[in-house]
Amino acid sequence: MNSHLFPHIGKVIASTGSRHFPRMLHDLIRTQLAVDAMHIRQMRVEPVGRSAARNEPEAVKNPALLAETVFSELSTVAPADRAAECGPATISDASQLHLTRRKDGYRYVISVYRCPSQRFSAQERSLLQDISPVLLPMVEKHITALQPPAEHLQPSPEIVQQGLDTLRQRFHDRVRLLGLRLSNRETEVCVGLLAGRTAPELAEQLQLKVNTVESYLKRAAIKLGISGRHSLMRWMYSPEERATDAA
């Protein structure tokens, strides 16, 4: 890789996750070949065993989860006043190259375009391919920064367990306040429902039939003086005096 690319690469990396990234990446590509527009996007695909970087026109057909487009100054791909409405993928007569990378069930694509019908030479295709191992991972990091994976937003198992333990303890405290006694199964069903689980989910977790779970709920409801799941929610989070009066 040519050393003169390093300052441009540094600018692209520094702009990862910002609104400047597409323009920085576009400028980096233009140091290697003239393009009228650049388009990056992320698509969901079936996971594969390895990442790939290659020409793949069919990628355009897949719906994008995230897409960003940059037009060159004085571009003939689309008039400046239509840039917001007309992406390069909609222009059928534009010469185009696509680089793609598959990873963790997603496809990351960089597309470059010329218009009208100015074909990319074999040398230009080779130049773009040569820097694709640098370009595509940066696109992936940029899109990941914009849209963190859903699993990163989920609480850890330890935090979930702590929440269940706190809920279970509060439930025990409320039951003792009323001078009642529930079986372990009745307690687990009530705590599970209060935690947002459904009867089928509890049945699978406790290795019971759904009807059995519902039977435990009915028994607990009779002891607590309530009518069902929604009443259980109201009972649990109502002031303690009201729960005592209800009994």
Side-chain angles (χ1 to χ4, degrees):
M1 182 179 297
N2 294 332
S3 59
H4 77 273
L5 288 179
F6 293 159
H8 295 279
I9 292 173
K11 291 179 181 179
V12 177
I13 294 174
S15 66
T16 297
S18 78
R19 62 185 178 85
H20 302 293
F21 177 87
R23 172 58 61 182
M24 294 293 108
L25 183 65
H26 176 265
D27 291 344
L28 171 59
I29 291 173
R30 291 191 69 195
T31 65
Q32 297 299 288
L33 66 162
V35 298
D36 286 329
M38 181 208 69
H39 189 61
I40 60 174
R41 55 198 177 281
Q42 176 200 45
M43 292 160 289
R44 185 175 287 111
V45 296
E46 290 299 321
V48 297
R50 63 182 179 85
S51 297
R54 55 190 172 84
N55 286 344
E56 192 164 315
E58 66 269 19
V60 179
K61 301 176 183 178
N62 295 333
L65 299 176
L66 184 144
E68 295 179 305
T69 302
V70 176
F71 291 90
S72 301
E73 294 181 6
L74 305 178
S75 170
T76 58
V77 171
D81 59 351
R82 295 183 55 206
E85 294 83 14
C86 183
T90 66
I91 300 168
S92 60
D93 63 340
S95 296
Q96 51 191 269
L97 292 177
H98 305 276
L99 297 175
T100 186
R101 169 185 173 92
R102 293 188 181 96
K103 185 176 179 182
D104 298 332
Y106 292 95
R107 189 198 313 245
Y108 301 90
V109 181
I110 301 173
S111 300
V112 292
Y113 298 85
R114 284 177 179 169
C115 184
S117 301
Q118 297 178 6
R119 302 294 178 184
F120 289 101
S121 68
Q123 181 180 6
E124 288 174 320
R125 288 196 295 270
S126 178
L127 285 172
L128 192 61
Q129 289 283 357
D130 286 345
I131 61 173
S132 65
V134 175
L135 302 181
L136 287 162
M138 290 193 294
V139 169
E140 177 194 342
K141 291 183 181 298
H142 168 64
I143 293 177
T144 300
L146 295 178
Q147 297 182 328
E151 57 267 22
H152 293 174
L153 304 179
Q154 298 297 324
S156 67
E158 292 79 11
I159 293 177
V160 172
Q161 187 59 49
Q162 289 175 8
L164 285 173
D165 291 343
T166 300
L167 180 61
R168 186 178 292 106
Q169 184 59 52
R170 177 169 180 175
F171 182 80
H172 281 303
D173 292 343
R174 302 281 283 189
V175 170
R176 280 198 298 269
L177 178 67
L178 296 175
L180 301 174
R181 186 179 181 85
L182 272 63
S183 70
N184 289 337
R185 287 297 196 190
E186 291 165 352
T187 297
E188 288 305 309
V189 167
C190 288
V191 172
L193 292 172
L194 288 168
R197 293 190 174 94
T198 64
E201 289 172 343
L202 284 172
E204 181 178 357
Q205 175 188 337
L206 302 174
Q207 297 183 337
L208 300 171
K209 295 181 179 179
V210 175
N211 289 340
T212 305
V213 170
E214 293 174 348
S215 295
Y216 281 126
L217 174 60
K218 290 178 182 177
R219 294 179 193 176
I222 291 172
K223 294 179 181 179
L224 298 176
I226 59 179
S227 59
R229 177 172 183 164
H230 295 297
S231 296
L232 176 64
M233 291 284 186
R234 289 194 297 270
W235 172 87
M236 182 66 183
Y237 297 106
S238 65
E240 294 182 358
E241 296 77 8
R242 287 181 57 189
T244 306
D245 294 341

